[in-house]
PDB file of all heavy atoms in Angstrom:
ATOM      1  N   GLN A  25      -6.243 -17.114 -18.365  1.00  0.00           N
ATOM      2  CA  GLN A  25      -6.525 -17.434 -16.973  1.00  0.00           C
ATOM      3  C   GLN A  25      -8.024 -17.290 -16.763  1.00  0.00           C
ATOM      4  O   GLN A  25      -8.674 -16.476 -17.362  1.00  0.00           O
ATOM      5  CB  GLN A  25      -5.773 -16.505 -15.986  1.00  0.00           C
ATOM      6  CG  GLN A  25      -4.298 -16.488 -16.096  1.00  0.00           C
ATOM      7  CD  GLN A  25      -3.738 -15.521 -15.119  1.00  0.00           C
ATOM      8  OE1 GLN A  25      -3.194 -14.439 -15.495  1.00  0.00           O
ATOM      9  NE2 GLN A  25      -3.805 -15.886 -13.856  1.00  0.00           N
ATOM     10  N   ASN A  26      -8.545 -18.139 -15.864  1.00  0.00           N
ATOM     11  CA  ASN A  26      -9.927 -17.961 -15.432  1.00  0.00           C
ATOM     12  C   ASN A  26      -9.955 -16.737 -14.527  1.00  0.00           C
ATOM     13  O   ASN A  26      -9.155 -16.595 -13.617  1.00  0.00           O
ATOM     14  CB  ASN A  26     -10.352 -19.212 -14.621  1.00  0.00           C
ATOM     15  CG  ASN A  26     -11.823 -19.181 -14.299  1.00  0.00           C
ATOM     16  OD1 ASN A  26     -12.383 -18.144 -13.933  1.00  0.00           O
ATOM     17  ND2 ASN A  26     -12.451 -20.333 -14.501  1.00  0.00           N
ATOM     18  N   SER A  27     -10.870 -15.798 -14.840  1.00  0.00           N
ATOM     19  CA  SER A  27     -10.905 -14.559 -14.149  1.00  0.00           C
ATOM     20  C   SER A  27     -11.398 -14.679 -12.663  1.00  0.00           C
ATOM     21  O   SER A  27     -11.128 -13.793 -11.842  1.00  0.00           O
ATOM     22  CB  SER A  27     -11.783 -13.538 -14.887  1.00  0.00           C
ATOM     23  OG  SER A  27     -13.107 -14.043 -14.967  1.00  0.00           O
ATOM     24  N   GLY A  28     -12.110 -15.817 -12.351  1.00  0.00           N
ATOM     25  CA  GLY A  28     -12.564 -16.038 -11.045  1.00  0.00           C
ATOM     26  C   GLY A  28     -13.859 -15.206 -10.759  1.00  0.00           C
ATOM     27  O   GLY A  28     -14.518 -14.828 -11.686  1.00  0.00           O
ATOM     28  N   PRO A  29     -14.142 -14.909  -9.442  1.00  0.00           N
ATOM     29  CA  PRO A  29     -13.254 -15.151  -8.346  1.00  0.00           C
ATOM     30  C   PRO A  29     -13.201 -16.647  -7.934  1.00  0.00           C
ATOM     31  O   PRO A  29     -14.161 -17.385  -8.058  1.00  0.00           O
ATOM     32  CB  PRO A  29     -13.817 -14.326  -7.212  1.00  0.00           C
ATOM     33  CG  PRO A  29     -15.272 -14.243  -7.576  1.00  0.00           C
ATOM     34  CD  PRO A  29     -15.369 -14.215  -9.056  1.00  0.00           C
ATOM     35  N   LEU A  30     -11.980 -17.035  -7.479  1.00  0.00           N
ATOM     36  CA  LEU A  30     -11.811 -18.325  -6.868  1.00  0.00           C
ATOM     37  C   LEU A  30     -11.878 -18.172  -5.389  1.00  0.00           C
ATOM     38  O   LEU A  30     -11.080 -17.407  -4.818  1.00  0.00           O
ATOM     39  CB  LEU A  30     -10.428 -18.898  -7.272  1.00  0.00           C
ATOM     40  CG  LEU A  30      -9.937 -20.184  -6.608  1.00  0.00           C
ATOM     41  CD1 LEU A  30     -10.871 -21.340  -6.987  1.00  0.00           C
ATOM     42  CD2 LEU A  30      -8.503 -20.503  -6.925  1.00  0.00           C
ATOM     43  N   SER A  31     -12.793 -18.824  -4.768  1.00  0.00           N
ATOM     44  CA  SER A  31     -12.999 -18.638  -3.359  1.00  0.00           C
ATOM     45  C   SER A  31     -12.656 -19.931  -2.615  1.00  0.00           C
ATOM     46  O   SER A  31     -13.069 -20.999  -2.940  1.00  0.00           O
ATOM     47  CB  SER A  31     -14.506 -18.351  -3.049  1.00  0.00           C
ATOM     48  OG  SER A  31     -14.716 -18.163  -1.682  1.00  0.00           O
ATOM     49  N   VAL A  32     -11.720 -19.804  -1.626  1.00  0.00           N
ATOM     50  CA  VAL A  32     -11.326 -20.908  -0.849  1.00  0.00           C
ATOM     51  C   VAL A  32     -11.369 -20.569   0.645  1.00  0.00           C
ATOM     52  O   VAL A  32     -11.203 -19.424   1.006  1.00  0.00           O
ATOM     53  CB  VAL A  32      -9.871 -21.391  -1.204  1.00  0.00           C
ATOM     54  CG1 VAL A  32      -9.766 -21.808  -2.664  1.00  0.00           C
ATOM     55  CG2 VAL A  32      -8.831 -20.354  -0.842  1.00  0.00           C
ATOM     56  N   PRO A  33     -11.582 -21.555   1.531  1.00  0.00           N
ATOM     57  CA  PRO A  33     -11.602 -21.296   2.906  1.00  0.00           C
ATOM     58  C   PRO A  33     -10.147 -21.112   3.480  1.00  0.00           C
ATOM     59  O   PRO A  33      -9.234 -21.699   2.876  1.00  0.00           O
ATOM     60  CB  PRO A  33     -12.279 -22.436   3.517  1.00  0.00           C
ATOM     61  CG  PRO A  33     -12.096 -23.559   2.568  1.00  0.00           C
ATOM     62  CD  PRO A  33     -11.973 -22.946   1.246  1.00  0.00           C
ATOM     63  N   GLU A  34      -9.990 -20.400   4.514  1.00  0.00           N
ATOM     64  CA  GLU A  34      -8.703 -20.246   5.116  1.00  0.00           C
ATOM     65  C   GLU A  34      -8.120 -21.605   5.476  1.00  0.00           C
ATOM     66  O   GLU A  34      -8.817 -22.484   5.973  1.00  0.00           O
ATOM     67  CB  GLU A  34      -8.837 -19.355   6.395  1.00  0.00           C
ATOM     68  CG  GLU A  34      -7.536 -19.112   7.089  1.00  0.00           C
ATOM     69  CD  GLU A  34      -7.659 -18.154   8.279  1.00  0.00           C
ATOM     70  OE1 GLU A  34      -8.832 -17.700   8.522  1.00  0.00           O
ATOM     71  OE2 GLU A  34      -6.680 -17.858   8.944  1.00  0.00           O
ATOM     72  N   GLY A  35      -6.835 -21.821   5.203  1.00  0.00           N
ATOM     73  CA  GLY A  35      -6.164 -23.028   5.474  1.00  0.00           C
ATOM     74  C   GLY A  35      -6.191 -24.035   4.325  1.00  0.00           C
ATOM     75  O   GLY A  35      -5.462 -25.032   4.364  1.00  0.00           O
ATOM     76  N   ALA A  36      -6.997 -23.849   3.321  1.00  0.00           N
ATOM     77  CA  ALA A  36      -7.125 -24.713   2.221  1.00  0.00           C
ATOM     78  C   ALA A  36      -6.036 -24.399   1.194  1.00  0.00           C
ATOM     79  O   ALA A  36      -5.274 -23.476   1.301  1.00  0.00           O
ATOM     80  CB  ALA A  36      -8.484 -24.573   1.532  1.00  0.00           C
ATOM     81  N   ILE A  37      -5.930 -25.332   0.190  1.00  0.00           N
ATOM     82  CA  ILE A  37      -5.004 -25.125  -0.908  1.00  0.00           C
ATOM     83  C   ILE A  37      -5.739 -24.377  -2.049  1.00  0.00           C
ATOM     84  O   ILE A  37      -6.819 -24.833  -2.511  1.00  0.00           O
ATOM     85  CB  ILE A  37      -4.455 -26.449  -1.448  1.00  0.00           C
ATOM     86  CG1 ILE A  37      -3.617 -27.130  -0.393  1.00  0.00           C
ATOM     87  CG2 ILE A  37      -3.603 -26.258  -2.703  1.00  0.00           C
ATOM     88  CD1 ILE A  37      -3.162 -28.574  -0.764  1.00  0.00           C
ATOM     89  N   ALA A  38      -5.177 -23.292  -2.531  1.00  0.00           N
ATOM     90  CA  ALA A  38      -5.696 -22.575  -3.695  1.00  0.00           C
ATOM     91  C   ALA A  38      -4.898 -22.997  -4.866  1.00  0.00           C
ATOM     92  O   ALA A  38      -3.670 -23.011  -4.885  1.00  0.00           O
ATOM     93  CB  ALA A  38      -5.609 -21.070  -3.479  1.00  0.00           C
ATOM     94  N   SER A  39      -5.627 -23.334  -5.984  1.00  0.00           N
ATOM     95  CA  SER A  39      -4.950 -23.769  -7.201  1.00  0.00           C
ATOM     96  C   SER A  39      -5.321 -22.797  -8.354  1.00  0.00           C
ATOM     97  O   SER A  39      -6.516 -22.672  -8.699  1.00  0.00           O
ATOM     98  CB  SER A  39      -5.390 -25.194  -7.551  1.00  0.00           C
ATOM     99  OG  SER A  39      -4.799 -25.580  -8.755  1.00  0.00           O
ATOM    100  N   LEU A  40      -4.323 -22.176  -8.898  1.00  0.00           N
ATOM    101  CA  LEU A  40      -4.519 -21.230  -9.927  1.00  0.00           C
ATOM    102  C   LEU A  40      -3.882 -21.740 -11.232  1.00  0.00           C
ATOM    103  O   LEU A  40      -2.717 -22.188 -11.177  1.00  0.00           O
ATOM    104  CB  LEU A  40      -3.889 -19.872  -9.572  1.00  0.00           C
ATOM    105  CG  LEU A  40      -4.352 -19.303  -8.200  1.00  0.00           C
ATOM    106  CD1 LEU A  40      -3.438 -18.221  -7.721  1.00  0.00           C
ATOM    107  CD2 LEU A  40      -5.757 -18.755  -8.346  1.00  0.00           C
ATOM    108  N   ASN A  41      -4.573 -21.635 -12.342  1.00  0.00           N
ATOM    109  CA  ASN A  41      -4.107 -22.222 -13.557  1.00  0.00           C
ATOM    110  C   ASN A  41      -3.922 -21.150 -14.671  1.00  0.00           C
ATOM    111  O   ASN A  41      -4.638 -20.154 -14.659  1.00  0.00           O
ATOM    112  CB  ASN A  41      -5.026 -23.287 -14.008  1.00  0.00           C
ATOM    113  CG  ASN A  41      -5.142 -24.404 -13.014  1.00  0.00           C
ATOM    114  OD1 ASN A  41      -4.142 -24.907 -12.545  1.00  0.00           O
ATOM    115  ND2 ASN A  41      -6.396 -24.802 -12.677  1.00  0.00           N
ATOM    116  N   CYS A  42      -3.045 -21.491 -15.568  1.00  0.00           N
ATOM    117  CA  CYS A  42      -2.751 -20.565 -16.660  1.00  0.00           C
ATOM    118  C   CYS A  42      -2.323 -21.424 -17.900  1.00  0.00           C
ATOM    119  O   CYS A  42      -1.553 -22.383 -17.747  1.00  0.00           O
ATOM    120  CB  CYS A  42      -1.627 -19.665 -16.266  1.00  0.00           C
ATOM    121  SG  CYS A  42      -0.902 -18.621 -17.581  1.00  0.00           S
ATOM    122  N   THR A  43      -2.894 -21.144 -19.037  1.00  0.00           N
ATOM    123  CA  THR A  43      -2.443 -21.828 -20.298  1.00  0.00           C
ATOM    124  C   THR A  43      -1.902 -20.758 -21.251  1.00  0.00           C
ATOM    125  O   THR A  43      -2.268 -19.584 -21.208  1.00  0.00           O
ATOM    126  CB  THR A  43      -3.618 -22.544 -20.946  1.00  0.00           C
ATOM    127  OG1 THR A  43      -4.646 -21.618 -21.268  1.00  0.00           O
ATOM    128  CG2 THR A  43      -4.127 -23.637 -20.094  1.00  0.00           C
ATOM    129  N   TYR A  44      -0.961 -21.180 -22.088  1.00  0.00           N
ATOM    130  CA  TYR A  44      -0.344 -20.243 -23.034  1.00  0.00           C
ATOM    131  C   TYR A  44      -0.327 -20.913 -24.393  1.00  0.00           C
ATOM    132  O   TYR A  44      -0.285 -22.105 -24.540  1.00  0.00           O
ATOM    133  CB  TYR A  44       1.025 -19.845 -22.561  1.00  0.00           C
ATOM    134  CG  TYR A  44       2.012 -20.956 -22.419  1.00  0.00           C
ATOM    135  CD1 TYR A  44       2.873 -21.351 -23.419  1.00  0.00           C
ATOM    136  CD2 TYR A  44       2.071 -21.671 -21.188  1.00  0.00           C
ATOM    137  CE1 TYR A  44       3.760 -22.356 -23.259  1.00  0.00           C
ATOM    138  CE2 TYR A  44       2.936 -22.737 -21.002  1.00  0.00           C
ATOM    139  CZ  TYR A  44       3.801 -23.128 -22.043  1.00  0.00           C
ATOM    140  OH  TYR A  44       4.667 -24.125 -21.876  1.00  0.00           O
ATOM    141  N   SER A  45      -0.235 -20.072 -25.418  1.00  0.00           N
ATOM    142  CA  SER A  45      -0.343 -20.626 -26.769  1.00  0.00           C
ATOM    143  C   SER A  45       0.979 -20.747 -27.505  1.00  0.00           C
ATOM    144  O   SER A  45       1.088 -21.537 -28.428  1.00  0.00           O
ATOM    145  CB  SER A  45      -1.251 -19.707 -27.616  1.00  0.00           C
ATOM    146  OG  SER A  45      -0.753 -18.385 -27.654  1.00  0.00           O
TER     147      SER A  45
END
Side-chain angles (χ1 to χ4, degrees):
Chain A
Q25 298 180 252
N26 188 317
S27 61
L30 173 66
S31 183
V32 300
E34 183 175 357
I37 296 175
S39 178
L40 305 164
N41 299 312
C42 171
T43 59
Y44 59 95
S45 61

